[in-house]
Amino acid sequence: MAFGEQSPVGKGARAQASKTQAQMAKPPELPLVGAGHDNKSVTEEISGVVFGKTPLWWFGALAVSGAVMVMMLYAIIYLLFTGTGVWGLNIPVGWGFAIINFVWWIGIGHAGTLISAILLLLNQSWRTSINRFAEAMTLFAVACAGLFPILHTGRPWLAVYWLLPYPNTMGLWPQFRSPLIWDVFAVSTYFTISLLFWYVGLVPDLAAMRDRAKNRLAAKVYGVFSLGWRGSAAHWHNYESLYLLLAGISTPLVLSVHTVVSFDFSVGQLPGWHATIFPPYFVAGAIYAGFAMVLLLAIPLRVMFKLQDFITLRHLENMGKVTLATGMIVAYGYLVEVFMAFYSGNQYEAFMILNRITGPYQVQWWLLLLCNALAPQVLWVKSWRRSPLVLFLVSIVVSIGMWLERFIIVVTSLHRDFLPSSWGMYAGTKWDWALYIGTMGMFLTLFFLFIRFVPMISIFEMRTIVPDRKNLDEAPKGGA
Amino acid sequence: MHDQQEEPRLYGLMAEFETAEDLAKACHQSYEAGYRVQDAFSPYPVEEVSEALGHHKSYVPLLMLCGGIVGALTGFGLQYITSVHVYALNIGGRPLNSWPAFIPVTFEVTILFAGICGVLGMFALNGLPRPHHPVFNVKRFAAHASTDGFFLCIEAADPKFDRDGTETFLRSLHPSEVSEVEN
């Protein structure tokens, strides 16, 4: 193929973006797509993942994740029949695993929206091959997150009236001055908009699947969900307008979600929670954890499905850079927390930090520093940033670190507050762990089903960064 | 493809092109030639094609703005009515209409309504869902439109449409193929 380097053929709305990027890429960048791809090969290879034979490992992986999900269901049933007493919660620590895991999962979801919305607005064309599965990851992570506060209410079927505003026979309404209610609105809106965004992005690809399906049932199902999309110019015109605006409204939305989550803490007056740094610190932490999860999913996926031409080292490297940058913001957050504790002159704040550093949970605190502030520093080295293995290991470490961060925030502030007579200790029980690990099973089960039935890379957006079939043989032109 | 079948119900004539640039050029010429009831089809959005066909304005932003305004009013109204009138609670002596505390929910409902209006509006404006459309009767369209084919269809409903004249015109645009679209 004469088409060695990936120089963008000017196309549509994103042509400008690619051009600017090509100019900026002065020290030659790694390619975004493997050489020699055109519209047809991109469509065939990505839809081929779904239409091809189901790989054996997929059944095994689904069986394992399904079994873990069954454990989650068991933990939920046991919880509902027995009560939240099966968890390790008690006074003084009334917010344990349920909130830790909620914040952890919802944070992971944030990377999906960041990739699909914010990077779209910033004209980062490398987002194209990772946005679809990152958005799916968002949906599944938010679904896992939502389980925890709902179950934490103890009797979810009775919790509806104080969570959602609806006219009920008791004449009761939610208390709108509480961040907990803001959370209900923020998370449900976030899930709905993420789902819409994901589905709108899928429609043209489902149409491609409909046209390529050999199985009649598959063609019918894809046909129904593609709504009869036919790629009309008039339709694309409205579509592009909507896609851009959805990205526009998702951007403040994703920032608002973790901001509201941080309000759950910072509106309270507990030392360690009552801090103005919380919203930006939480948002950065969310993106940090989320990119780690995207890397954890992308690195095995590209190998298992031979998608190295689409999810290239350039993508991994860029995600590594985002991880490093957000990791630095998070580390700055830790620094400010320590500084403010002493600068405030408040003895309870100072005690809280000393208790974190030297108290009974010091191991977790030092581990969290190691995982979140120190470990990602290896990504400064270019060759490590381009090594899938290093990225994978760093991502695991970061995921653990971010869970520890939430553990420290929730537990250390609660377990020793103002009155020493009310101090106590907290640890999760086996039911806490069963539910937490179980949600990972649910997350992976949903993800495995997703990659088997839906194109996991946005095909139509990939077409915008590869040349058309005729141009492939000729020298690539500069623009349309 | 284009046999001399009797044309009981001809929907239009369709030309296929190999690249987005060719399609954009063809659309431009066809618009110049005075054709108005026509549509182009591409496997990914091509701005030049939409522009050449005269699609400059989309009503999606307006719909989303309306949705957003209705959402903001709904969100704030809901909180105002319940917190001030229906279920007034004294929370730490704060005013019943403690509006700064109502901002987050108002914001979320605004986004929610704008997003839903935008998505439903986009599909409604595009006349979707519509599972069957005459263009799918063209075999090459069904096989390539969602992969790598670029098509221009001049509909029989166009006042300038003339079975033979339009075909000659389409052929002058150097398409790879011209076919009839049956209804």
Side-chain angles (χ1 to χ4, degrees), chain A residues 37-61:
Chain A
H37 278 292
D38 64 355
N39 292 323
K40 192 164 180 229
S41 71
V42 163
T43 312
E44 271 172 359
E45 289 212 12
I46 300 173
S47 63
V49 171
V50 175
F51 290 136
K53 221 174 137 243
T54 312
L56 217 58
W57 66 264
W58 185 84
F59 289 107

Side-chain angles (χ1 to χ4, degrees), chain A residues 247-286:
Chain A
I249 62 171
S250 297
T251 300
L253 176 67
V254 66
L255 299 180
S256 85
V257 174
H258 230 57
T259 300
V260 168
V261 169
S262 80
F263 284 165
D264 291 345
F265 298 91
S266 56
V267 168
Q269 288 172 341
L270 218 55
W273 288 7
H274 197 59
T276 48
I277 186 94
F278 261 40
Y281 161 54
F282 265 54
V283 171

Side-chain angles (χ1 to χ4, degrees), chain B residues 5 10 13 16 25 27 32 40 44 48 68 91 121 140 143 159:
Chain B
Q5 234 182 40
L10 185 69
L13 283 173
E16 183 182 349
K25 229 184 286 163
C27 289
E32 296 253 288
Y44 54 83
E48 292 84 355
I91 306 288
R140 275 198 67 84

Side-chain angles (χ1 to χ4, degrees), chain B residues 71-153:
Chain B
L73 293 175
T74 309
F76 194 85
L78 170 80
Q79 297 175 86
Y80 181 83
I81 291 168
T82 56
S83 308
V84 175
H85 297 294
V86 186
Y87 196 63
L89 276 179
N90 184 339
I91 306 288
R94 287 172 185 81
L96 289 178
N97 178 23
S98 43
W99 66 267
F102 299 161
I103 299 281
V105 171
T106 307
F107 171 77
E108 303 297 342
V109 181
T110 306
I111 300 284
L112 182 67
F113 277 41
I116 292 176
C117 271
V119 172
L120 294 182
M122 186 272 284
F123 287 123
L125 288 173
N126 288 350
L128 299 174
R130 178 175 179 184
H132 298 291
H133 190 275
V135 290
F136 287 117
N137 293 336
V138 178
K139 278 216 178 68
R140 275 198 67 84
F141 183 90
H144 290 277
S146 59
T147 308
D148 59 352
F150 297 85
F151 299 87
L152 171 64
C153 177

